[in-house]
Amino acid sequence: IRGSGPQVTIAIHSPGRLHMLRVSEWGAGEAQELFQDVYSSSIFYQDNVHGRVERIYECGLGPEKEALLARIADRLSTPPRPLPHRS
């Protein structure tokens, strides 16, 4: 999950394969909408690939980040981690 200004990108992949790329607009105070996007993307992946989302990385999500990440961790049983920086 990557936030950049008013856009959020959700990507689901496994080694060598991109399963889903979703870009949506996200404004302040819309943490519930973003949660729904993340949750529905995860369920779509589980239903179509028959696998569970094992790791979630996040960056750039702004001031509502903590509440959003706590809800994602609770509902998907996968606590989001900061996206590692490449040097």
Side-chain angles (χ1 to χ4, degrees), residues 42 45-46 51-57 76-79 81:
S42 175
Y45 174 77
Q46 290 177 29
R52 184 178 164 282
V53 172
E54 296 177 8
R55 288 184 297 273
I56 299 174
Y57 294 102
L76 297 178
S77 301
T78 305
R81 300 183 242 180

Side-chain angles (χ1 to χ4, degrees), residues 8 11 14 16 30 33 35 59 68 75 81 87:
V8 172
S14 57
E30 296 178 350
E33 282 185 36
F35 169 76
C59 72
L68 173 66
R75 292 294 303 272
R81 300 183 242 180
S87 3

Side-chain angles (χ1 to χ4, degrees), residues 33-78:
E33 282 185 36
L34 180 54
F35 169 76
Q36 289 299 337
D37 285 350
V38 171
Y39 185 77
S40 63
S41 297
S42 175
I43 297 303
F44 175 86
Y45 174 77
Q46 290 177 29
D47 289 348
N48 290 285
V49 180
H50 307 291
R52 184 178 164 282
V53 172
E54 296 177 8
R55 288 184 297 273
I56 299 174
Y57 294 102
E58 59 79 17
C59 72
L61 294 178
E64 296 183 46
K65 169 180 155 172
E66 296 307 318
L68 173 66
L69 297 182
R71 185 150 188 221
I72 291 169
D74 181 56
R75 292 294 303 272
L76 297 178
S77 301
T78 305

Side-chain angles (χ1 to χ4, degrees), residues 22-23 26 73 77:
R22 182 175 187 169
V23 179
W26 184 48
S77 301

